[in-house]
């Protein structure tokens, strides 16, 4: 048997789905993403949400300020679709290069999704415009019907919403975000070439038992919620399969410790500090380390029609102990205690020399 490598140099990756927040939280978390990823698709679910090109441009400036000095990091901005968003605004923002994509949150599906879309029929003209101009649609794929079991919401979304939507808009580029089920894997594998999916490190690492390990564990709670083990296995198969429709999107979604550990704890897992290391662990366990680069750095830009990054990043086989808590913050901010994903665990790979 060939010896396992202890060093891996890959093209610098991008994160195709991240929550960078705003204000002190933005200053606390954005450097973790910019340290590793050259570009990131930035989610627009702020309060108020990003619905205009001017708001996206101003937010982009705040992000750049928060990561100043971080090696050419490029935030790719998204528009938050509402029932009343103006298709003309999207088209202008996209043609000016401010918006890279638009995000569909079914109304009330998740954090700050109150202003999301209540009925897809209402945004038919918006979707037609996006299809015509080649603007990708990023979908939080869960139904919000309270009658539907929370663990079934993604599978039901495929049947009730996604399949008919792809039928209606056959030229629309769609990213099914943070998939969590075997049903989603199969649907994407069999779908049209206009369809792709992102997969998070946490859905590759944990199943739903993680939320109930010895008590209730809010740090393992996110949306879509982690499912049974069979789904995790299907996701690991998809991510490491080498199929270009599956690529990296961390869905790193920080919330303060207080907000997580409250009577109504927020959904979201903060994985930005060690996301690439976490993916590397999974790919190695699956015997697919040589496929990490395509998943992390090639399939995403190809789908979006963007150039590949030209610089590289090094991973080295050295134990990395993930802290139980991180205290992060900008220069004059109060430090924010945040619990990172895999807190207290030892990961086998770490990032070596600073990205070239
Ligand atoms: O767990 C999640 N957190 N899922 C989402 O869809 C939103 C995100 C957030 O913004 O906190
Ligand atoms: Zn997200």
């Amino acid at each position: 048997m060939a010896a396992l490598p202890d060093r891996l140099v890959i093209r610098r990756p991008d994160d195709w789905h991240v929550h960078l927040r705003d204000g002190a939280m933005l200053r606390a978390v954005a450097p973790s993403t910019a340290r590793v990823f050259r570009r990131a698709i930035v989610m627009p679910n702020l309060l108020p949400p990003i619905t205009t090109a001017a708001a996206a441009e101003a937010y982009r400036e705040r992000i750049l300020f928060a990561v100043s000095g971080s090696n050419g990091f490029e935030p790719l901005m998204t528009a938050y679709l509402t029932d009343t968003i103006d298709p003309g605004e999207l088209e202008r923002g996209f043609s000016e290069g401010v918006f890279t994509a638009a995000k569909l949150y079914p109304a009330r599906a998740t954090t700050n999704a109150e202003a999301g879309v209540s009925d897809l029929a209402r945004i038919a003209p918006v979707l037609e415009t996006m299809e015509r101009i080649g603007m990708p649609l990023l979908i939080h794929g869960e139904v919000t019907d309270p009658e539907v079991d929370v663990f079934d919401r993604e599978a039901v979304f495929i049947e009730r919403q996604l399949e008919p939507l792809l039928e209606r808009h056959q030229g629309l580029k769609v990213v099914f975000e943070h998939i969590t089920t075997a049903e989603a894997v199969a649907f994407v594998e069999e779908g049209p070439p206009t369809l792709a999916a992102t997969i998070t490190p946490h859905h590759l690492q944990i199943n739903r038992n993680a939320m109930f390990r010895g008590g209730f564990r809010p740090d393992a709670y996110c949306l879509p919620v982690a499912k049974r083990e069979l789904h995790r296995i299907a996701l690991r198969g998809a991510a490491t399969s080498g199929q270009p429709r599956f690529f990296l999107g961390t869905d790193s979604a920080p919330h303060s410790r207080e907000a997580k550990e409250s009577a109504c704890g927020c959904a979201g897992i903060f994985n930005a500090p060690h996301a690439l290391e976490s993916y590397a662990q999974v790919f190695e366990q699956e015997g697919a380390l040589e496929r990490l680069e395509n998943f992390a750095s090639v399939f995403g830009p190809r789908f979006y029609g963007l150039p590949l990054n030209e610089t590289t990043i090094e991973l080295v086989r050295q134990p990395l102990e993930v802290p139980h808590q991180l205290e992060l913050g900008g220069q004059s901010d109060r430090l924010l205690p945040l619990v990172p994903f895999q807190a207290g665990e030892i990961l086998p790979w770490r990032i070596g020399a600073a990205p070239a």
Side-chain angles (χ1 to χ4, degrees):
M1 205 177 90
L4 290 170
D6 54 16
R7 178 171 177 267
L8 193 63
V9 177
I10 62 169
R11 197 182 281 281
R12 195 154 167 217
D14 304 299
D15 185 349
W16 298 97
H17 182 131
V18 69
H19 298 266
L20 295 181
R21 312 301 194 205
D22 211 344
M25 183 68 94
L26 166 66
R27 293 187 288 273
V29 303
S32 297
T33 293
R35 179 178 75 98
V36 175
F37 298 102
R38 207 200 64 80
R39 294 169 290 200
I41 283 274
V42 181
M43 288 297 122
N45 62 332
L46 304 183
L47 271 178
I50 303 290
T51 54
T52 64
E57 188 56 49
Y59 183 31
R60 202 176 78 89
E61 292 300 321
R62 296 196 295 281
I63 295 168
L64 288 174
F65 191 70
V67 302
S68 51
S70 290
N71 215 358
F73 177 68
E74 192 184 341
L76 303 174
M77 309 310 292
T78 58
Y80 181 116
L81 298 181
T82 65
D83 284 350
T84 55
I85 195 160
D86 171 15
E89 178 72 13
L90 278 190
E91 185 165 0
R92 269 190 305 280
F94 184 68
S95 66
E96 287 165 7
V98 179
F99 291 134
T100 299
K103 177 72 190 256
L104 168 66
Y105 288 107
R108 295 172 297 285
T110 185
T111 309
N112 298 345
E114 290 71 21
V117 174
S118 64
D119 179 355
L120 281 179
R122 299 203 179 188
I123 58 160
V126 172
L127 299 179
E128 277 157 31
T129 300
M130 291 176 62
E131 185 173 359
R132 175 170 53 76
I133 65 180
M135 183 177 192
L137 175 70
L138 317 182
I139 300 185
H140 182 109
E142 288 192 285
V143 293
T144 54
D145 181 347
E147 301 285 303
V148 176
D149 189 279
V150 70
F151 293 99
D152 296 335
R153 287 183 186 176
E154 182 173 281
V156 173
F157 182 88
I158 296 172
E159 268 171 44
R160 288 195 194 164
Q161 309 281 346
L162 187 54
E163 202 166 5
L165 180 136
L166 295 176
E167 197 54 46
R168 289 195 300 274
H169 300 278
Q170 297 191 4
L172 182 63
K173 263 193 198 178
V174 171
V175 185
F176 191 178
E177 299 282 15
H178 43 54
I179 57 169
T180 62
T181 56
E183 287 87 344
V185 168
F187 186 75
V188 173
E189 281 177 341
E190 289 155 21
T194 49
L195 178 65
T198 53
I199 306 182
T200 74
H202 40 283
H203 291 109
L204 296 171
Q205 293 272 8
I206 62 172
N207 64 29
R208 63 191 194 176
N209 286 349
M211 283 182 293
F212 309 104
R213 189 172 40 83
F216 179 58
R217 303 277 180 172
D219 294 314
Y221 172 58
C222 64
L223 286 171
V225 69
K227 309 293 193 297
R228 286 179 180 277
E229 179 65 0
L230 75 90
H231 298 288
R232 187 180 77 105
I233 291 169
L235 294 168
R236 289 168 75 102
T240 60
S241 67
Q243 295 174 88
R245 308 172 164 218
F246 299 103
F247 50 82
L248 184 156
T250 65
D251 199 14
S252 181
H255 292 279
S256 71
R257 194 161 188 158
E258 280 161 272
K260 291 289 293 173
E261 296 173 7
S262 82
C264 186
C266 292
I269 290 180
F270 177 50
N271 61 32
H274 313 107
L276 187 62
E277 296 91 327
S278 185
Y279 283 115
Q281 179 180 31
V282 169
F283 274 69
E284 180 166 57
Q285 288 165 346
E286 297 293 322
L289 261 185
E290 75 286 356
R291 296 194 177 146
L292 178 64
E293 180 175 39
N294 277 339
F295 176 79
S297 319
V298 176
F299 296 155
R302 289 248 171 88
F303 185 80
Y304 274 84
L306 293 170
L308 304 188
N309 294 327
E310 294 195 341
T311 54
T312 57
I313 193 167
E314 181 191 40
L315 284 155
V316 289
R317 184 191 300 284
Q318 274 172 21
L320 169 70
E321 191 173 343
V322 181
H324 286 277
Q325 177 171 296
L326 290 164
E327 310 262 338
L328 302 171
Q331 271 175 357
S332 51
D333 292 320
R334 189 170 61 90
L335 295 182
L336 283 170
L338 289 165
V339 179
F341 180 53
Q342 294 181 290
E345 290 180 32
I346 295 177
L347 308 186
W349 290 88
R350 58 161 68 213
I351 288 167

